[in-house]
């Protein structure tokens, strides 16, 4: 202790007061003394990290320790005898004398024995936050006060940083569109973001402290405890870190699809889970609208391709057919006038046949064009082709209540095909199947792939649970313009067969084992197009 007069007893009192920082009772002065004890006390006081300042009843500084010098930037000699207000900024400095006087006359304590956070002022005028606790002691009957000062700049900075980070976090939580719900390992909600309030319709005050299963409909509501318990026991992840689409429940009982991601963290030995939930209602509706549009578009493009083909065909066929009619008409006139001779009649027939053949060529040419024209072949993975074609073909199918199963063989050799054309075939077959099932209750579509190595082929089959192919069509199914549909062109299957045969494959139909129709496409394994057994 640096002081003008650090009396032995005072040093002891200070040290004792220091130990019981907020004790107002003066430390019991030790009767036994001696230089050793005094120097020990002095050492303790001077080693203290906290500043220790002793003032008398007028506020004059009687002694300080080294920590005080360090804290305030004054040498002891500059402080001893000065009023303690020198260590305070305004307005505390001006008011200190009256605080002290007030205490001495009324005994009313503001800091003494209580301790509080105040601001200190250094010699250079800068200020710093400090914890001040004051004890009272007596020196020869006169009251003296011992102030213990702890610089809390670092603690304050840490607190500020924490508050800032909390604020930052809060502002993130407030603005993130996902609902964020934190629960503990018992499923008790710890925090509920504003987006969660909006999504579930509960104010956070109503759910914090309650089980998270209020946000779920049955049967998940009942099962949730066991989900957490199983995860904690086995570590087996079903949703944590994976994310999935689940059903949420709002306060008004309404349920809705939501995408849920769950993260996990530990704090002070306890485990917590953070759920990020996003309402899918709107997205699902938007997706459904897009699907409807796509379905319409597909339908329209299909019609337009057919329409184009039909008009080209009509145009191309018009000429030879008109000619056939003209020749036949002329032949009939020859016959009825009995004027013509057989030779002339034969000529007419010959010409009519020629034109009919030309008409046949037109049709063959057109089908050939569809089957081979603009073909761009590559090595392709059949399952991939199937999956892509299905994704397109099944747009809107789910709404029609069609259940689709895929039985794809993983070990298929590749094929060498024009993927657009083959997908066109699959698209047609699947569309036909879906359309056929419109008339029946049970709507099951099975698309399967398998290899037939002994034939060097890969097979794709499309089976439905519809009524099956009408018996009267069975023989003509793959001929053009054969249809049972009001708006059908009857070209789909004939084009499909052209395409498949153009790839050295086969397209056939059969009755399904459990009713319905099965259409099979076989395609040669890549590299075996020439040798594939097309039989
Ligand atoms: P479209 O679909 O324009 O009628 P298609 O050539 O694709 O032309 O089909 C011809 C006919 O074959 C259809 O009208 C239908 O009667 C019959 N058909 C095709 N696929 C099936 C199926 N999966 N189940 C029952 N009948 C089918």
């Amino acid at each position: 202790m640096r002081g003008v007069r650090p009396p032995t007893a005072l040093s002891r009192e200070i040290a004792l007061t220091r130990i019981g920082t907020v004790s107002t009772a003066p430390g019991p002065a030790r009767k036994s003394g001696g230089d050793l004890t005094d120097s020990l006390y002095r050492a303790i006081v001077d080693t203290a990290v906290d500043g220790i300042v002793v003032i008398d009843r007028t506020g004059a500084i009687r002694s300080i320790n080294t920590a005080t010098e360090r804290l305030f930037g004054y040498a002891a000699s500059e402080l001893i005898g000065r009023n303690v207000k020198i260590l305070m900024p305004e307005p505390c400095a001006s008011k200190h004398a009256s605080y002290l006087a007030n205490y001495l006359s009324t005994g009313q304590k503001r800091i003494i024995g209580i301790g509080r956070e105040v601001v200190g002022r250094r010699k250079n005028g800068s200020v710093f936050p400090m914890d001040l606790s004051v004890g009272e002691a007596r020196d020869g009957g006169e009251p003296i006060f011992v102030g213990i000062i702890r610089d809390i700049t670092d603690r304050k900075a840490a607190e500020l940083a924490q508050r800032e980070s909390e604020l930052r976090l809060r502002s993130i939580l407030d603005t993130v569109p996902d609902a964020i719900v934190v629960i503990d390992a018992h499923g008790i909600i710890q925090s509920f973001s504003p987006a969660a309030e909006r999504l579930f319709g509960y104010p956070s005050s109503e759910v914090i402290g309650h089980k998270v299963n209020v946000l779920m409909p049955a049967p998940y509501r009942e099962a949730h405890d066991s989900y957490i318990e199983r995860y904690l026991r086995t570590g087996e992840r079903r949703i944590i870190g994976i994310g999935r689409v689940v059903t949420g429940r709002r306060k008004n009982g309404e349920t809705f699809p939501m995408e849920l991601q769950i993260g996990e963290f530990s704090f002070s030995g306890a485990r917590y889970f953070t759920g990020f939930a996003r309402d899918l209602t709107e997205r699902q509706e938007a997706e459904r609208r897009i699907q409807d549009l796509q379905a319409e578009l597909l339908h329209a493009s299909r019609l337009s391709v057919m329409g184009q083909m039909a008009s080209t065909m009509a145009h191309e066929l018009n000429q030879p057919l008109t000619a056939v009619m003209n020749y036949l008409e002329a032949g009939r006139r020859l016959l009825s006038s009995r004027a013509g001779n057989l030779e002339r009649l034969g000529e007419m027939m010959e010409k009519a046949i020629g034109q009919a053949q030309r008409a046949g060529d037109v049709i063959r040419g057109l089908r050939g064009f569809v089957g081979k024209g603009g073909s761009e072949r590559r090595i392709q993975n059949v399952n991939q082709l199937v999956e892509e074609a299905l994704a397109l073909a099944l747009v809107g199918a789910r709404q029609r209540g069609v259940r689709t199963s895929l039985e794809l063989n993983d070990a298929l050799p590749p094929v060498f095909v024009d993927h657009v054309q083959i997908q066109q075939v699959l698209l047609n077959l699947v569309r036909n199947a879906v359309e056929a099932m419109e008339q029946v209750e049970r709507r099951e579509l099975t698309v399967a792939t398998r290899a037939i190595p002994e034939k060097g082929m890969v097979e794709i089959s499309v089976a439905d649970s519809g009524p099956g192919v009408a018996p009267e069509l069975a023989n003509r199914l793959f001929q053009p313009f054969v249809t049972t549909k009001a708006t059908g062109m009857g070209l789909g299957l004939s084009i499909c067969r052209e395409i498949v045969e153009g790839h050295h494959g086969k397209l056939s139909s059969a009755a399904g084992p459990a009713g319905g129709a099965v259409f099979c496409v076989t395609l040669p394994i890549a590299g075996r197009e020439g040798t594939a057994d097309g039989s």
Side-chain angles (χ1 to χ4, degrees):
M1 214 55 191
R2 315 278 178 89
V4 177
R5 188 179 60 88
T8 307
L10 181 58
S11 304
R12 289 188 200 154
E13 280 162 2
I14 292 167
L16 288 167
T17 316
R18 164 80 183 85
I19 291 160
T21 7
V22 292
S23 153
T24 53
R30 292 200 173 189
K31 293 282 174 282
S32 65
D35 279 351
L36 178 64
T37 330
D38 288 345
S39 64
L40 178 65
Y41 283 140
R42 208 168 284 136
I44 292 173
V45 169
D46 266 346
T47 324
V49 179
D50 292 347
I52 302 176
V53 178
V54 181
I55 61 171
D56 66 15
R57 59 180 304 146
T58 67
I61 297 175
R62 292 268 293 272
S63 58
I64 62 164
N65 68 346
T66 8
T68 307
E69 290 178 301
R70 202 170 50 242
L71 276 176
F72 289 90
Y74 285 107
S77 56
E78 294 176 281
L79 289 178
I80 305 298
R82 302 283 303 270
N83 192 289
V84 71
K85 69 182 184 186
I86 193 175
L87 302 179
M88 304 168 194
E90 290 300 345
C92 308
S94 318
K95 290 181 182 163
H96 190 256
S98 59
Y99 286 157
L100 206 56
N102 187 50
Y103 170 66
L104 289 168
S105 61
T106 65
Q108 202 182 5
K109 294 171 180 170
R110 295 212 177 184
I111 293 189
I112 296 167
I114 301 164
R116 73 159 60 158
E117 209 178 292
V118 294
V119 179
R121 181 180 185 277
R122 298 190 188 93
K123 184 180 178 183
N124 66 11
S126 62
V127 293
F128 63 96
M130 60 188 227
D131 258 349
L132 173 66
S133 45
V134 180
E136 195 181 347
R138 301 230 150 232
D139 180 28
E142 278 293 298
I144 54 165
F145 301 96
V146 185
I148 314 283
I149 295 155
R150 176 167 296 176
D151 183 351
I152 54 171
T153 309
D154 292 348
R155 194 178 86 199
K156 279 289 189 197
E159 274 173 18
L160 202 70
Q162 183 171 352
R163 248 208 329 275
E164 207 178 283
S165 99
E166 272 168 14
L167 277 175
R168 211 176 305 134
L169 187 65
R170 178 125 299 274
S171 91
I172 292 172
L173 291 188
D174 288 356
T175 38
V176 162
D178 288 357
I180 303 177
V181 181
V182 179
I183 62 167
D184 67 11
H186 304 289
I188 305 289
I189 298 177
Q190 308 291 314
S191 122
F192 203 69
S193 73
E197 292 184 324
R198 287 193 294 275
L199 181 62
F200 293 99
Y202 284 103
S204 61
S205 57
E206 269 182 44
V207 285
I208 288 181
H210 290 82
K211 286 225 163 180
V212 70
N213 63 5
V214 297
L215 309 177
M216 306 162 191
Y220 313 105
R221 178 176 279 222
E222 289 69 30
H224 192 256
D225 279 351
S226 64
Y227 292 159
I228 302 186
E229 189 272 324
R230 190 191 47 222
Y231 172 66
L232 292 176
R233 186 164 37 83
T234 65
E236 182 197 342
R237 291 172 168 220
R238 300 222 170 168
I239 185 165
I240 293 165
I242 301 166
R244 64 161 66 160
V245 175
V246 298
T247 308
R249 184 180 187 276
R250 301 189 220 273
K251 187 180 177 186
N252 64 10
E254 190 183 305
T255 57
F256 62 96
M258 63 183 198
E259 196 176 344
L260 181 63
Q261 300 275 350
I262 296 184
E264 188 187 0
F265 68 94
S266 294
F267 184 69
S268 293
R271 286 167 89 168
Y272 296 90
F273 301 96
T274 312
F276 297 82
R278 185 171 291 181
D279 193 346
L280 290 182
T281 316
E282 274 179 26
R283 198 198 295 173
Q284 280 198 343
E285 260 160 30
E287 275 171 9
R288 200 170 310 144
R289 268 201 304 277
I290 290 173
Q291 282 189 350
D292 286 350
L293 280 175
Q294 275 178 334
E296 270 172 39
L297 208 66
L298 267 173
H299 187 64
S301 75
R302 222 170 140 221
L303 280 185
S304 88
V305 169
M306 304 280 181
Q308 255 175 7
M309 267 185 54
S311 77
T312 315
M313 250 176 160
H315 180 77
E316 296 273 325
L317 290 177
N318 204 27
Q319 260 186 320
L321 289 178
T322 312
V324 169
M325 256 166 55
N326 288 344
Y327 289 126
L328 290 178
E329 182 62 27
R332 194 169 57 121
R333 267 207 306 274
L334 276 175
L335 275 177
S336 61
S337 70
R338 297 174 192 271
N341 55 32
L342 278 179
E343 197 181 329
R344 184 99 176 92
L345 202 59
E347 232 173 78
M348 294 288 147
M349 292 294 131
E350 213 44 59
K351 286 192 167 159
I353 289 169
Q355 289 301 323
Q357 271 168 349
R358 202 181 131 197
D361 286 345
V362 168
I363 294 178
R364 262 190 298 282
L366 207 60
R367 290 170 70 197
F369 170 77
V370 173
K372 300 185 193 78
S375 186
E376 212 183 289
R377 299 190 182 178
R378 291 212 184 92
I379 298 277
Q380 302 279 351
N381 176 308
V382 175
N383 291 342
Q384 206 172 317
L385 282 178
V386 169
E387 280 172 354
E388 281 175 17
L390 263 182
L392 269 178
L394 288 176
V395 168
R398 211 161 302 147
Q399 278 99 295
R400 295 189 208 171
V402 175
R403 242 193 34 218
T404 309
S405 15
L406 274 182
E407 292 168 11
L408 304 182
N409 185 318
D410 286 337
L412 286 186
V415 290
F416 184 68
V417 297
D418 179 321
H419 78 285
V420 174
Q421 289 186 345
I422 296 301
Q423 285 183 338
Q424 218 176 342
V425 171
L426 298 174
L427 205 112
N428 244 295
L429 297 180
V430 172
R431 284 263 147 193
N432 275 345
V434 170
E435 281 168 12
M437 289 189 289
E438 266 169 6
Q439 322 152 27
V440 298
E441 279 286 290
R442 195 170 65 88
R443 295 171 189 170
E444 280 168 20
L445 176 75
T446 308
V447 181
T449 56
R450 69 182 180 116
I452 314 175
E454 63 279 12
K455 291 192 175 179
M457 304 292 262
V458 170
E459 183 188 79
I460 307 163
S461 62
V462 179
D464 63 62
S465 60
V469 176
E472 67 273 17
L473 292 192
N475 296 331
R476 303 180 292 129
L477 198 57
F478 296 97
Q479 289 176 14
F481 308 113
V482 171
T483 181
T484 53
K485 297 171 194 167
T487 56
M489 298 282 301
L491 284 172
L493 288 178
S494 71
I495 294 172
C496 288
R497 182 170 265 187
E498 277 304 325
I499 291 175
V500 174
E501 288 179 357
H503 281 82
H504 308 285
K506 281 196 82 179
L507 171 62
S508 59
S509 92
V518 187
F519 284 83
C520 287
V521 177
T522 52
L523 292 167
I525 292 167
R528 300 193 46 187
E529 291 81 16
T531 58
D533 178 358
S535 63

